Amino acid sequence: MTKPLPSHARVVIVGGGVIGASIAYHLTKFGWSDIVLLERKRLTSGTTWHAAGLVGQLRATANLTKLAQYTTQLYATLEAETGQATGFIQRGSVSIATNPARMEELLRGASMAKNFGLEVNRVTPAEVKKFWPLLNVDDVVGGVHLPGDGQTNPIDTTMALIKGATMRGGQVFENTLIDSILTKDGRAIGVSTADGDILAEHVVIA
């Protein structure tokens, strides 16, 4: 028998992809209790299941790079924490340039990466070929290599985040379609579903 929906929650999260799962995971990790995640079909059945799962660390700003670094560290430890495999592997990444202007851009990014504490190496066309033997490097000027970049399985990672959230008291309901957002005085106060309403302090659309 399916467990009944609660009538109240501190937070209702709408969407059971990797973003919704991450929100539930982190809220419970920060000590928030009474978290409910609702998914209209099955977990990861939206866009998460066919995502590439690339985990790159270098971003355009310092804060985004720090967030990406945190994500990499999280994915590296999530399986040990939850017992759920994520498929995370730090294979590294190589970005290549086929003209001097692009190479200059890559080197600027590499300089920024070093300032952010990332390991990054300039590589020659021959070294690029070693990383990816099938690549034709006849027109390659050079590239940069970030050893800490990786790839994860989006479905398994979502399930690990969900497990982490439920281990700390979060609740997850699949096959629960949201009919409408309940509002009062211009703010969301809960959600309405075919299985009943849930009043909440916060509603998060994920």
Side-chain angles (χ1 to χ4, degrees):
M1 180 177 178
T2 304
K3 60 182 178 181
L5 290 178
S7 59
H8 294 78
R10 185 175 183 184
V11 181
V12 170
I13 301 165
V14 181
V18 69
I19 298 300
S22 179
I23 294 168
Y25 170 88
H26 285 93
L27 287 178
T28 58
K29 190 172 184 177
F30 295 152
W32 285 43
S33 59
D34 201 13
I35 307 298
V36 173
L37 183 146
L38 306 176
E39 166 54 44
R40 68 188 180 106
K41 292 183 180 178
R42 301 297 301 273
L43 294 171
T44 77
S45 64
T47 57
T48 293
W49 70 269
H50 59 77
L54 301 179
V55 184
Q57 298 176 89
L58 180 59
R59 296 291 186 268
T61 68
N63 283 337
L64 288 176
T65 298
K66 289 177 183 177
L67 182 61
Q69 287 177 285
Y70 166 77
T71 300
T72 301
Q73 295 163 2
L74 172 64
Y75 289 172
T77 59
L78 196 55
E79 181 176 349
E81 176 190 346
T82 65
Q84 166 67 49
T86 63
F88 179 63
I89 301 175
Q90 285 179 284
R91 301 182 184 276
S93 70
V94 177
S95 298
I96 63 169
T98 56
N99 58 66
R102 172 61 173 157
M103 192 65 212
E104 182 180 347
E105 181 183 9
L106 290 179
L107 292 177
R108 283 200 303 268
S111 177
M112 184 172 64
K114 289 181 179 179
N115 289 333
F116 295 160
L118 293 178
E119 181 182 358
V120 58
N121 305 300
R122 180 175 183 172
V123 291
T124 65
E127 291 170 322
V128 170
K129 185 75 171 178
K130 288 182 180 180
F131 284 118
W132 192 250
L134 296 178
L135 186 66
N136 181 348
V137 296
D138 291 346
D139 62 345
V140 172
V141 176
V144 296
H145 173 234
L146 279 84
D149 285 355
Q151 185 175 18
T152 194
N153 182 313
I155 294 175
D156 291 341
T157 300
T158 301
M159 294 308 181
L161 292 167
I162 289 291
K163 188 170 182 182
T166 56
M167 285 168 56
R168 291 186 286 266
Q171 297 187 75
V172 176
F173 295 86
E174 296 179 290
N175 300 307
T176 304
L177 179 65
I178 305 300
D179 294 324
S180 63
I181 304 294
L182 304 176
T183 62
K184 182 179 180 181
D185 298 328
R187 68 178 300 272
I189 61 167
V191 297
S192 178
T193 81
D195 299 315
D197 295 348
I198 305 177
L199 298 180
E201 295 178 31
H202 308 280
V203 177
V204 182
I205 308 298

